[in-house]
Amino acid sequence: MINLLDIRYVRLGTRDRAAADRFAREVVGLQPTRDEGGALYYRSDARDHTLVYFDGNPRDHTVGFELRTAAELEAAGAALSDAGLVVHAGTSDECEQRRVHSFINFRDPTGNSIDLVLRPHHNGPRYFPSRDAGITGFSHVGLCSTDPARDERFWTGVLGARVSDRIGEAPLLRIDEVHHKVALFATDRAGVQHINHQVAGIDDLMRSWYLLQQRGVRIVFGPGRHPTSGAMFLYFEGPDGMVYEYSTGVRTITASEEATYQPRQFPARPESFCLWGAVPEIAEFQRSDAAAT
Ligand SMILES: [Fe+2]
């Protein structure tokens, strides 16, 4: 069984790096760190980078996860090959781009591109944002799934994730104590469905809610509170239709709860996404809604 230590980064293609750069810095509030080899790198916490925009197809997305040891990375490659997947070992150039010692890449059954990385760089100087959105760090992604039940089996059976809750058929998956680091939402394509950054508190969410509206950024869901994770949230639209999320107050499932924790089934309804009554304008959340009715 593969044991994912944490999520590390998202890499996104774009045809308009200037627009993506403005959005990452001025709207999301990330810290630009490098413009290198056709790619822009951003920090959101103590990691070298957590977001990359590179010149390329806007549908080309990769999510990176860290493993603990070289032996685990080697075993992961073997396990994925045994599961019938094509595993690519990162070249030295690709490792340099990612600021990792080594990595492998594969695609999950939907076709989502996943890096498993070893010894990713940390960054000593503290994160200094472009604007103070209150970001405390990159935390999770929603992934597209053409068959959430099948992909849940893969993510739990091969990658060692655990189901924290389900909304309809969409599983919210944890790899550590945080309620979810990955969620799988039904749709007809592969790729990242949303990108989450944690913020320090509700004041940050609400300040961003007003600021984003003033700047003409489309709010697609919230402010609201997820009944699943307990987190308060705000979702908004970024370049190439990517959905970004700020949230705060996510619950944890501690080591002492782990043995007895039972995932809860939430019905596929808007109330399962928001306790306060916000209705998502996010296709995959609406589609989860339609799937069960
Ligand atoms: Fe989220």
Side-chain angles (χ1 to χ4, degrees):
M1 180 82 79
I2 296 169
N3 194 1
L4 304 175
L5 174 60
D6 202 357
I7 194 166
R8 285 301 295 202
Y9 55 72
V10 175
R11 300 175 61 87
L12 304 175
T14 184
R15 304 279 186 222
D16 188 346
R17 282 201 309 149
D21 183 49
R22 271 196 308 278
F23 181 84
R25 287 185 293 108
E26 297 173 14
V27 175
V28 184
L30 303 178
Q31 176 186 354
T33 58
R34 285 192 296 285
D35 179 350
E36 180 184 276
L40 298 166
Y41 293 72
Y42 302 92
R43 294 178 69 197
S44 58
D45 50 37
R47 294 173 270 201
D48 176 80
H49 66 274
T50 51
L51 178 68
V52 179
Y53 271 108
F54 62 89
D55 285 325
N57 184 341
R59 290 294 187 90
D60 186 353
H61 306 161
T62 293
V63 184
F65 294 85
E66 184 179 2
L67 297 189
R68 287 175 174 78
T69 65
E72 287 192 23
L73 186 62
E74 193 173 329
L80 292 163
S81 294
D82 288 349
L85 301 178
V86 176
V87 178
H88 166 74
T91 65
S92 56
D93 276 356
E94 291 168 333
C95 291
E96 174 61 23
Q97 290 164 11
R98 288 160 176 74
R99 299 296 198 272
V100 299
H101 177 274
S102 48
F103 79 97
I104 58 175
N105 175 272
F106 66 95
R107 291 181 182 274
D108 80 358
T110 282
N112 293 306
S113 171
I114 307 294
D115 288 349
L116 300 182
V117 311
L118 184 66
R119 290 164 54 186
H121 287 192
H122 274 254
N123 194 330
R126 65 183 167 231
Y127 159 61
F128 189 81
S130 314
R131 81 167 181 91
D132 182 13
I135 289 176
T136 56
F138 167 54
S139 188
H140 72 251
V141 293
L143 285 179
C144 294
S145 172
T146 53
D147 183 341
R150 175 202 63 199
D151 291 351
E152 177 188 311
R153 286 194 295 277
F154 176 79
W155 278 84
T156 57
V158 179
L159 297 179
R162 283 95 69 199
V163 179
S164 290
D165 287 314
R166 295 184 187 86
I167 303 174
E169 293 301 310
L172 309 181
L173 301 170
R174 70 186 181 280
I175 57 176
D176 54 22
E177 291 194 348
V178 175
H179 182 273
H180 59 280
K181 292 286 175 83
V182 173
L184 305 173
F185 295 106
T187 184
D188 55 4
R189 63 189 168 96
V192 174
Q193 182 265 345
H194 76 269
I195 298 172
N196 172 279
H197 294 87
Q198 296 290 303
V199 296
I202 188 171
D203 292 338
D204 300 304
L205 277 187
M206 297 308 291
R207 285 192 304 132
S208 283
W209 185 49
Y210 286 108
L211 185 140
L212 268 49
Q213 288 177 95
Q214 284 162 10
R215 294 192 180 183
V217 176
R218 185 172 164 240
I219 306 294
V220 292
F221 191 21
R225 186 194 286 275
H226 291 308
T228 47
S229 65
M232 292 172 281
F233 63 79
L234 179 68
Y235 291 77
F236 50 102
E237 190 173 84
D240 307 306
M242 179 56 67
V243 172
Y244 281 80
E245 176 190 16
Y246 295 131
S247 69
T248 185
V250 65
R251 74 163 287 188
T252 55
I253 293 154
T254 62
S256 62
E257 294 172 295
E258 184 68 48
T260 55
Y261 184 81
Q262 177 67 17
R264 298 166 298 173
Q265 177 67 55
F266 288 80
R269 289 202 302 255
E271 303 92 285
S272 298
F273 286 93
C274 183
L275 269 180
W276 298 347
V279 177
E281 293 177 33
I282 298 172
E284 293 78 20
F285 291 177
Q286 292 161 348
R287 182 164 169 153
S288 294
D289 184 40
T293 53

